């Protein structure tokens, strides 16, 4: 299926009014409950891991079609109303300080259900590292939501904000064993001209080189960083060196790496990694590699070894964000204000369907048929 359009996620001011919050909570729970009855909790996590489906879901419950708050509010509501004991799904983490509570919340959850705590915590940490170290796109992460079923199937949605542009982007993950080569189920946001992207599929040589570099003596790497910095600045003493080795400093490298580099701090990080002696890039990420040290290594990879990261922005999620706003309206009145009466009628109808479906589980098509009737009735009303 070809998806067209472009999506911005600007910072919106203001809060969700209490009356709308109640509608969002009841409607969210009703929709998720029906999905659990029809498909099971694993499928719900899979759907939410899809950027297009997630956008449609938050539009249907009345959230703004283009707001950065659509992520934080929607996931915050799901964390409040969806219970693992009832739906078989838990929503952990969240915005700001809540984002770092995932390991603690996973530990508590693992005591109630048979979950692989260490594996899930590792996934959470790796995802956060990938979207801040292997991808450096001027968006600082401030939201990390971890979705997990009671059977252990997980998904992650996290969001970063570009402080200068006031635009956000959302990173979606579906359960995977691959964390470093195009691992996302989607990245939604405004396409930029430039970013550091080491997860691009054809950058395997760059990924291997980073592992090799951190296994070398830190003093050797720091020397290469200093030399690369001198080359980047175009010092006259290195002009003949550059020409002799046919080194071309790309415009992308000049734009990205001209920020000051704290060599002493980098040396400390490299020493820590050298002592650990990582065998793969995931171990490098989990044992100390941060954005600034990574940038220094990417500079060396580009200028010294001619194995640069990709400088293409990894956003790969174009869609029509306005498509689903006609279901309930939007918080800010776009395309029209939320109609409270209609919203509550939908909620009561869905909740009634859920109760009947629970009583009549033998008829697997019961809830689906009722929903189809609602859609047909809605079509007649619109016509």
């Amino acid at each position: 299926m070809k998806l067209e359009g472009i999506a911005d996620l600007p910072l919106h001011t203001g809060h969700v009014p209490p009356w709308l919050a109640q509608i969002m909570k009841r409607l969210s729970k009703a929709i998720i409950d029906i999905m659990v009855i029809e498909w099971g909790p694993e499928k719900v996590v899979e759907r939410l891991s899809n950027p297009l489906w997630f956008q449609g879901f938050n539009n249907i419950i009345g959230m703004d079609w283009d707001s950065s708050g659509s992520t934080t509010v929607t996931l915050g509501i799901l964390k409040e109303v969806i219970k693992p004991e009832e739906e078989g799904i838990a929503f952990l983490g969240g915005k700001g300080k809540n984002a770092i509570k995932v390991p603690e919340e996973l530990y508590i959850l693992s005591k109630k259900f048979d979950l692989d705590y260490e594996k899930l915590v590792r996934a959470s940490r790796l995802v956060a590292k990938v979207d801040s170290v292997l991808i450096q796109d001027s968006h600082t992460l401030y939201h990390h939501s971890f979705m997990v079923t009671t059977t252990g199937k997980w998904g992650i949605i996290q969001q970063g904000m570009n402080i200068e542009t006031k635009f956000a982007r959302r990173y979606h993950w579906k359960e995977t064993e691959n964390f470093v080569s195009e691992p996302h189920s989607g990245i939604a946001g405004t396409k930029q001209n430039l970013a550091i992207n080491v997860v691009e599929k054809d950058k395997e040589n760059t990924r291997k080189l980073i592992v090799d570099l951190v296994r070398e003596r830190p003093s050797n790497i720091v020397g290469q960083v200093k030399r690369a910095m001198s080359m980047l600045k175009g010092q006259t003493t290195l002009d003949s060196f550059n020409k002799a080795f046919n080194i071309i400093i790309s415009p992308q490298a000049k734009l990205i790496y001209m920020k000051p580099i704290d060599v002493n701090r980098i040396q400390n990080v490299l020493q820590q990694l050298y002592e650990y002696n990582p065998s793969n890039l995931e171990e490098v990420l989990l044992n100390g590699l941060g954005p600034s040290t990574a940038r220094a290594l990417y500079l060396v990879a580009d200028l010294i070894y001619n194995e640069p990261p990709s400088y293409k922005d990894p956003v790969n999620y174009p869609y029509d964000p306005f498509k689903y706003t006609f279901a309930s309206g939007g918080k800010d009145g776009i395309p029209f204000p939320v109609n409270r009466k209609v919203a509550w009628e939908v909620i009561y109808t869905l909740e009634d369907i859920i109760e009947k479906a629970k009583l009549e589980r033998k008829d697997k098509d019961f809830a689906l048929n009722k929903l189809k009737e609602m859609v047909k009735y809605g079509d007649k009303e619109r016509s």
Side-chain angles (χ1 to χ4, degrees):
M1 179 175 68
K2 184 178 180 182
L3 304 176
E4 296 181 346
I6 204 166
D8 299 337
L9 295 174
L11 177 65
H12 280 204
T13 57
H15 300 280
V16 176
W19 65 265
L20 180 55
Q22 288 303 312
I23 288 175
M24 288 180 171
K25 290 175 184 179
R26 293 278 287 273
L27 192 52
S28 296
K29 181 173 174 58
I31 293 172
I32 296 299
D33 282 351
I34 285 180
M35 292 178 66
V36 169
I37 290 171
E38 285 298 315
W39 301 322
E42 289 78 13
K43 192 68 174 181
V44 175
V45 170
E46 181 181 325
R47 287 294 177 89
L48 288 169
S49 299
N50 180 304
L52 177 60
W53 198 94
F54 180 88
Q55 189 68 38
F57 178 82
N58 93 78
N59 290 157
I60 285 173
I61 66 172
M63 196 57 203
D64 307 307
W65 69 272
D66 67 340
S67 171
S68 60
S70 64
T71 307
T72 57
V73 172
T74 299
L75 288 167
I77 286 173
L78 289 175
K79 183 175 183 179
E80 181 179 345
V81 302
I82 302 302
K83 308 300 180 185
E85 296 83 0
E86 297 177 17
E87 285 86 8
I89 312 168
F91 289 83
L92 314 176
K95 181 180 177 181
K97 293 181 180 179
N98 289 323
I100 62 176
K101 294 181 180 179
V102 169
E104 176 186 343
E105 293 174 329
L106 274 173
Y107 181 78
I108 295 172
L109 195 67
S110 67
K111 295 300 180 181
K112 296 180 180 179
F113 304 98
D114 186 20
L115 299 176
D116 189 336
Y117 169 74
E118 296 293 340
K119 179 180 179 180
L120 294 174
V121 169
R122 181 177 182 273
S124 175
R125 291 182 61 203
L126 268 174
V127 166
K129 277 286 192 176
V130 168
D131 290 339
S132 58
V133 177
L134 298 190
I135 295 176
Q136 298 192 34
D137 52 15
S138 302
H139 289 75
T140 303
L141 295 179
Y142 69 97
H143 183 100
H144 179 90
S145 282
F146 194 98
M147 310 172 286
V148 61
T149 68
T150 53
T151 59
K153 184 178 181 63
W154 61 267
I156 295 175
I157 301 173
Q158 52 187 13
Q159 185 158 284
M161 178 66 70
N162 185 318
I163 297 175
E164 292 183 2
T165 65
K166 303 299 182 184
F167 279 91
R169 66 175 43 181
R170 193 167 58 236
Y171 310 82
H172 286 252
W173 292 71
K174 182 172 62 177
E175 184 172 0
T176 180
E177 296 297 325
N178 160 44
F179 290 88
V180 298
S181 177
E182 296 191 356
H184 299 83
S185 53
I187 302 177
T190 306
K191 195 81 170 178
Q192 299 178 161
N193 294 326
L194 197 61
I196 295 176
N197 175 7
V198 185
V199 300
E200 193 170 284
K201 190 173 183 179
D202 63 358
K203 289 300 174 180
E204 183 63 26
N205 288 342
T206 304
R207 291 190 286 270
K208 289 180 179 178
L209 177 59
I210 298 304
V211 177
D212 291 340
L213 289 175
V214 300
R215 288 161 61 93
E216 290 190 25
R217 291 188 178 279
S219 57
N220 294 343
I221 302 304
V222 169
Q224 292 185 56
V225 170
K226 290 179 178 178
R227 189 172 72 178
M229 290 171 61
S230 298
M231 292 163 60
L232 187 66
K233 294 175 182 178
Q235 294 182 357
T236 54
T237 54
L238 288 171
D239 280 349
S240 58
F241 176 88
N242 294 348
K243 292 176 182 177
F245 288 90
N246 195 30
I247 294 174
I248 300 174
I249 300 177
S250 66
Q252 295 97 325
K254 287 184 177 180
L255 286 172
I256 286 179
Y257 301 111
M258 287 304 289
K259 296 179 181 179
I261 294 177
D262 187 341
V263 176
N264 292 329
R265 182 181 178 185
I266 288 172
Q267 183 153 4
N268 291 335
V269 174
L270 291 174
Q271 183 64 41
Q272 177 181 328
L273 286 166
Y274 177 72
E275 291 173 1
Y276 181 82
N277 193 30
S279 59
N280 56 57
L281 188 53
E282 292 177 2
E283 291 182 3
V284 174
L285 291 172
L286 293 174
N287 288 278
L289 184 66
S292 58
T293 302
R295 263 197 321 275
L297 295 176
Y298 301 152
L299 173 62
V300 170
D302 189 345
L303 300 191
I304 306 297
Y305 294 94
N306 196 29
E307 288 290 352
S310 170
Y311 296 117
K312 298 176 183 177
D313 192 325
V315 164
N316 60 354
Y317 176 38
Y319 68 110
D320 179 6
F322 215 61
K323 180 177 180 180
Y324 299 96
T325 54
F326 295 94
S328 304
K331 176 176 72 68
D332 290 348
I334 300 173
F336 53 82
V338 174
N339 186 317
R340 303 189 198 191
K341 182 180 178 181
V342 171
W344 280 110
E345 285 179 355
V346 171
I347 290 169
Y348 294 144
T349 303
L350 290 176
E351 289 178 345
D352 183 57
I353 291 172
I354 292 166
E355 289 305 312
K356 290 180 178 177
K358 288 178 179 178
L359 294 173
E360 302 185 30
R361 286 180 181 272
K362 291 182 180 180
D363 182 3
K364 294 182 180 179
D365 294 328
F366 179 84
L368 185 58
N369 290 335
K370 284 292 184 182
L371 286 173
K372 287 179 179 178
E373 290 174 13
M374 287 178 60
V375 172
K376 290 180 181 178
Y377 177 78
D379 289 339
K380 290 179 181 178
E381 287 291 296
R382 285 190 289 272
S383 61

